[in-house]
Amino acid sequence: MTSTTTSTTPDRVELAISGMTCASCANRIEKRLNKLQGVTAIVNYATEKASVSFEPGITPDDLIAQVEKTGYTASLPAPPEPTEEANAEDAPVRALRDRLVISALLAVPVILLAMVPALQFTYWQWASLTLAAPVLVWGAWPFHAAAWKNLKLGAATMDTLVSLGTIAAFGWSLYALFIGDAGEPGMRHPFTFTIERTSGAGNIYLEVAAGVTVFILAGRYFEARSKRRAGAALRALLEMGAKDVAVLRDGREERIPVDRLKVADRFVVRPGEKIATDGLIVEGGSAVDAGMLTGESVPVEVGVGDTVIGATVNAGGRLLVEATKIGADTQLAQMAKLVEEAQNGKAQVQRLADRISGIFVPIVITLAVATLGFWLGTGGSVAAAFTATVAVLIIACPCALGLATPTALLVGTGRGAQLGILIKGPEMLESTRKIDTIVLDKTGTVTTGKMTLTDVITADGQDPDQVLRLAGALEDSSEHPIAQAVAKGAVQRTGTLPQPEDFANIEGLGVQGIVDGHAVLVGRTRLLEEWSQRLPVELERAKTAAEADGKTAVAVGWDGEARAVLVVADTIKDTSAEAVTRLRGLGLTPVLLTGDNEAAARAVAAEAGIDEVIAEVLPADKVDVVKRLQAEGRTVAMVGDGVNDAAALAQADLGLAMGTGTDAAIEAADLTLVRGDLRAAADAIRLSRRTLATIKGNLFWAFAYNIAALPLAAAGLLNPMLAGAAMAFSSVFVVSNSLRLRRANVAQ
C-alpha cells in the first residue's frame, strides 16, 4: 500500500519504494542501503516500503539517492487522504488489469492456433505473428524495461528470466519465419501440452512467448490484487475513526472536522455516534461498543471519570467527553503504527529466503546456459535444446519465494488488529512456537485490579440491605478505593443511597457519621472498639477467615452495636479461568506472579485453575523471577499491565501487555492485547503460531516447486508455456494460502 510516511524518532524513516517486481529487487535495495555506514534497512517487497534507521550525519535524501543508484525510486510523500490513498493504490492494479486483458485477448487465438492443428489455415503462422507481436512488445514491456534497467546495473532479477525467455522464444520464431521454412504457406505445427520430452519438431514459439507473458501478467495482477486485500485490515483500522465532531464552545455545539480537535476540547457524543478521539467522560453515562477496536462483543458501561477510546461507538446515552489525546497519540493511531511496523519487519525464516533469492537468479541463468550446452553437446536438436532452456528460464522465477513471508505477515497482523491483538514485529513469531511457560501478573491481568464488594456477613437479626444502605451512604463520601467498592456494591444491591447528615474521615481507621438518624461507624475493628462496639464471635471468625484468604474485612456498627462485616477483594475476571484452560491447551504451564501475600495469591490461583504460584514478590524483583525460570531451561512468556511489569516483559522470551495497562508495559512487550481480557493472550499466541506455520508452509511450497520443476525443465520434460502457467500459479497459491488467515478462528 502507499506509504503514509512516519518518523517515529529523528533517526528513523519509512520510504515508499517504486519499481520493485520481485524479492530480488527488494534484496538488492536492502543491500545497497545497508552498505551506508550507520544505516540499518529492511525492504519489504509486499508492502513496497523500506524501514530505515540511520545515525546523525545521514539524511533522507542520502537514502533516496542510494535507492536510485540501484535503478528504483524512493520518496517521502505527504500523508494522503484515505480516499485519495485508496484511489492511488487502485491505479496500478487497474493498469495491470488492462494490460492483462488486452494481452489475453490477443494471445488466446495464437495459443489456439498452435494447439489445434485443425484451426491452422494457410497463413495461420503470419496471423499469429501479427497478434503475438503486440503482446511481446507492449504486454511484456514491464519485464523488458526492468530487465534492461537491471542489466545496466550489472544485476539480474526475475524480470531478467522472463524477458530472456520470451525474447528468446519470439526471436527464434522470427528467425524460423523469415529465414527458415516456417513461413511457407500450409505449414503445420503439432503441439503437445503435456509433461514429456519434446522432440523439437515445432519450430516456432509464438504461442510460448505470448502465453508465458499472459500467464505471468495474470500472476502479477492477482498478486497485486491479493496484496491490496491483505492490507485491507490496516486500511479499515485507519479509516475507522469519526470524520467530524460536535465540539462544545461557549455553551453551544459546533460541528468541526476531527483533525481540528485539540487536547482539552470538550465534545458531545450522541447515541450511535463514534467517539472522535481518546478522552475522559465529564458528563453523562452510557455503554460503549469497542468491538471494532478490541474485539469485545459486549458494550462496556462507562460514566463520569472513565476513559474512552476514539473510534468506539456510543451505544447508550449522551456523553460529554474531554479530549486527552489527538492525532498520532491516540490508541487507534498507535495500533495502526504497530501493525504497519510489524508488516515492515522480517522474520528469521524470511531472511534465509532473501539470501537464497539473492543468488538464485544468477544460478538459474547459469543452469539455463548449461542446459543449452548439454543438449547441443549430446547431439540433441537445436529446437529441443532451445525448448528446454526457455523452460528453465521461465520456471525458475522466484516470485513465490519473495511473497511467502510478507503476505502471511500482512494478513496475520491485519487479522490480529481486527481481534484486538497487536503484533509488534515478525521476530517474535518464532518465540510463540518455543514458549512452554507463561507468567501471569495477578493484579489487572488475572484479576480486575479493582476492589469489589464480595460478601455481606451480618450478626443475628440484622438486615443486610440496611447494613449496605447505612455503610454505603457513609463510604460514598470517601475517596478511598475500599470505600468506593463498598459504596458501588451498596448502590448495585439497594439502589439510591441516603445522604449522610454528618460525615468525618478518621485517618487510617475508617469513617463515621449520621445516616437516617443512626450514628454509623465503618472501618477497622479498632475504630468500633474505640466506641465500645466489639464484634460478636461469629463476625470475628468471618473476618479472620476473609483475611486468611487475602481479602479485606470492613466492620460496620451503629447505635452502640457492631452489626456486620463487609468483605472486599480484588476479584478474578470472569474470563480468566477460561483463558487459563486455553493456555494449557496450547501446551503452556501458567504461573501466577504477585506481590500479594501467599494466601491471597493461592485463593486467586485456585479460582483461575493455576497450580504454580510465586507470591510476595517486590515489583523490582519480577524480572529476577523471569530470569530464574529461564535459568531452569524454560522458555518464558510474560503477561502484565503495570509500570512494574515493563522490565519483566522485556526480559521474557515473549512479552504480552494488556492494552488496558500502562504505556511503559505496552512499549516493552512484543504483543499488545487491546482488550483487558486474558483470553486474548491465548488468541494472540494461537494466531502468531498459525501465521508462522503459514509462512513456513509458503516457503516449503515455493522451494519445493522450484526444486521439483527445474530438473523437469532442464530434462526437456516441461513445455515452456506450461512452465509459465505453473510459475504464475505458484505465486497465486502462496498469496491465496496467506489470505486464509483472514478467516482464522483463533478462539478455540
Side-chain angles (χ1 to χ4, degrees):
M1 49 186 281
T2 303
S3 174
T4 58
T5 303
T6 58
S7 180
T8 57
T9 62
D11 61 348
R12 183 180 178 87
V13 293
E14 243 178 34
L15 303 177
I17 308 293
S18 300
M20 290 193 297
T21 56
C22 68
S24 298
C25 301
N27 194 50
R28 182 176 309 105
I29 297 169
E30 189 173 293
K31 282 183 178 177
R32 172 73 73 163
L33 286 171
N34 285 323
K35 282 181 180 177
L36 286 174
Q37 187 70 29
V39 171
T40 303
I42 294 176
V43 180
N44 192 311
Y45 168 50
T47 58
E48 297 178 341
K49 291 178 184 175
S51 179
V52 190
S53 298
F54 54 95
E55 294 178 356
I58 297 173
T59 67
D61 289 338
D62 296 331
L63 302 174
I64 291 171
Q66 197 76 354
V67 172
E68 289 175 347
K69 286 179 183 177
T70 62
Y72 305 90
T73 58
S75 61
L76 290 166
E81 293 296 320
T83 51
E84 292 176 1
E85 183 177 352
N87 291 335
E89 289 176 349
D90 283 338
V93 179
R94 283 198 302 269
L96 193 53
R97 181 196 61 197
D98 294 343
R99 190 179 295 270
L100 168 63
V101 169
I102 293 170
S103 297
L105 290 173
L106 293 171
V108 167
V110 176
I111 295 169
L112 288 175
L113 285 171
M115 290 177 64
V116 185
L119 299 178
Q120 295 170 1
F121 51 89
T122 305
Y123 291 103
W124 71 273
Q125 66 271 48
W126 296 103
S128 292
L129 176 63
T130 305
L131 293 170
V135 177
L136 266 295
V137 176
W138 176 77
W141 179 251
F143 312 133
H144 303 321
W148 174 247
K149 179 171 65 177
N150 286 306
L151 180 63
K152 289 191 294 183
L153 295 168
T157 67
M158 186 190 87
D159 292 298
T160 307
L161 304 182
V162 175
S163 183
L164 276 175
T166 53
I167 287 175
F170 190 60
W172 176 275
S173 300
L174 291 178
Y175 171 84
L177 285 169
F178 287 99
I179 297 176
D181 55 7
E184 294 179 359
M187 187 272 283
R188 291 291 180 267
H189 184 194
F191 185 87
T192 306
F193 199 66
T194 56
I195 298 179
E196 61 181 19
R197 184 178 293 275
T198 22
S199 66
N203 52 7
I204 64 171
Y205 292 93
L206 293 172
E207 79 286 352
V208 170
V212 165
T213 299
V214 169
F215 283 129
I216 295 176
L217 279 174
R220 289 276 177 93
Y221 168 67
F222 288 117
E223 172 191 320
R225 195 177 72 167
S226 297
K227 277 160 61 179
R228 175 155 172 73
R229 287 174 61 200
L234 179 56
R235 281 191 300 277
L237 197 64
L238 290 166
E239 296 171 13
M240 196 184 287
K243 302 298 183 284
D244 54 27
V245 58
V247 178
L248 203 59
R249 291 187 177 154
D250 299 324
R252 293 182 304 173
E253 291 184 25
E254 180 184 343
R255 190 65 86 170
I256 63 170
V258 167
D259 56 11
R260 286 173 52 194
L261 197 63
K262 298 175 182 175
V263 172
D265 276 349
R266 293 190 172 189
F267 58 93
V268 176
V269 189
R270 292 183 172 78
E273 288 185 339
K274 287 183 180 179
I275 296 170
T277 193
D278 298 0
L280 188 72
I281 297 174
V282 294
E283 185 182 304
S286 181
V288 172
D289 181 1
M292 290 186 297
L293 204 61
T294 67
E296 288 181 288
S297 57
V298 180
V300 179
E301 294 292 332
V302 293
V304 175
D306 288 333
T307 57
V308 287
I309 301 170
T312 55
V313 178
N314 178 13
R318 178 182 182 275
L319 295 174
L320 182 62
V321 181
E322 182 175 305
T324 55
K325 293 180 181 178
I326 59 171
D329 295 328
T330 63
Q331 188 163 331
L332 177 66
Q334 292 298 312
M335 282 178 64
K337 178 181 155 192
L338 280 174
V339 173
E340 196 160 11
E341 285 179 354
Q343 292 175 348
N344 282 337
K346 289 189 179 182
Q348 188 177 346
V349 285
Q350 173 63 14
R351 295 184 188 281
L352 173 63
D354 284 348
R355 286 198 296 272
I356 293 172
S357 64
I359 61 172
F360 191 68
V361 174
I363 289 174
V364 167
I365 292 175
T366 303
L367 180 60
V369 173
T371 299
L372 181 65
F374 173 79
W375 276 81
L376 293 176
T378 55
S381 69
V382 174
F386 173 75
T387 301
T389 303
V390 171
V392 167
L393 288 171
I394 291 168
I395 198 68
C397 297
C399 193
L401 196 62
L403 290 169
T405 297
T407 52
L409 275 177
L410 272 171
V411 184
T413 53
R415 177 61 175 153
Q418 290 176 330
L419 297 170
I421 300 164
L422 302 184
I423 302 172
K424 257 193 182 176
E427 297 84 2
M428 49 69 54
L429 293 177
E430 280 93 354
S431 299
T432 62
R433 179 175 56 85
K434 299 172 186 173
I435 58 172
D436 52 35
T437 302
I438 184 160
V439 176
L440 307 173
D441 175 59
K442 182 180 81 72
T443 306
T445 302
V446 177
T447 64
T448 61
K450 296 179 181 178
M451 301 303 279
T452 305
L453 180 65
T454 61
D455 204 359
V456 180
I457 305 162
T458 61
D460 290 341
Q462 299 299 322
D463 179 9
D465 286 348
Q466 186 184 16
V467 170
L468 285 174
R469 273 176 55 78
L470 297 179
L474 270 190
E475 296 282 53
D476 196 34
S477 299
S478 173
E479 296 295 327
H480 195 282
I482 292 176
Q484 287 298 303
V486 171
K488 188 174 182 180
V491 169
Q492 289 173 345
R493 299 192 195 190
T494 67
T496 306
L497 300 174
Q499 285 293 322
E501 299 161 34
D502 185 32
F503 172 82
N505 183 36
I506 312 301
E507 190 69 33
L509 292 177
V511 294
Q512 66 183 42
I514 297 174
V515 183
D516 288 347
H518 299 285
V520 184
L521 300 171
V522 184
R524 295 180 183 272
T525 53
R526 209 173 90 201
L527 174 64
L528 274 68
E529 287 170 356
E530 287 180 359
W531 291 84
S532 300
Q533 298 179 20
R534 293 189 176 277
L535 293 179
V537 175
E538 66 271 20
L539 292 185
E540 188 66 51
R541 286 197 192 116
K543 173 180 174 293
T544 303
E547 290 174 344
D549 287 339
K551 299 176 181 178
T552 301
V554 179
V556 182
W558 65 84
D559 296 344
E561 186 181 345
R563 315 270 181 161
V565 167
L566 305 179
V567 180
V568 178
D570 178 11
T571 55
I572 187 172
K573 292 179 181 177
D574 295 338
T575 56
S576 291
E578 181 187 345
V580 169
T581 301
R582 288 193 191 179
L583 291 169
R584 287 188 186 280
L586 292 169
L588 307 179
T589 301
V591 177
L592 187 68
L593 179 65
T594 180
D596 280 357
N597 63 67
E598 186 81 20
R602 290 285 174 193
V604 170
E607 198 173 347
I610 301 172
D611 299 325
E612 193 170 344
V613 177
I614 303 174
E616 299 178 19
V617 177
L618 294 174
D621 295 335
K622 288 186 176 182
V623 67
D624 294 328
V625 171
V626 174
K627 287 180 179 177
R628 190 177 77 239
L629 291 171
Q630 290 171 328
E632 292 173 3
R634 303 199 202 185
T635 305
V636 181
M638 166 85 184
V639 187
D641 71 333
V643 173
N644 55 24
D645 296 325
L649 288 169
Q651 173 64 36
D653 299 286
L654 179 70
L656 298 94
M658 305 296 276
T660 50
T662 63
D663 291 342
I666 292 169
E667 184 64 30
D670 302 304
L671 284 166
T672 300
L673 314 174
V674 177
R675 63 187 193 269
D677 183 345
L678 190 56
R679 290 179 301 182
D683 294 347
I685 292 169
R686 194 182 298 275
L687 176 64
S688 298
R689 286 181 175 179
R690 193 166 293 183
T691 302
L692 181 63
T694 300
I695 289 172
K696 291 188 171 182
N698 286 348
L699 287 170
F700 169 79
W701 287 111
F703 278 120
Y705 158 81
N706 280 309
I707 290 169
L710 273 173
L712 288 175
L717 300 176
L718 203 58
N719 182 279
M721 190 162 64
L722 187 59
M727 191 281 296
F729 172 77
S730 71
S731 298
V732 176
F733 171 81
V734 162
V735 176
S736 301
N737 189 44
S738 297
L739 286 172
R740 291 169 55 232
L741 286 169
R742 295 174 75 201
R743 299 182 296 276
N745 177 21
V746 295
Q748 295 176 356

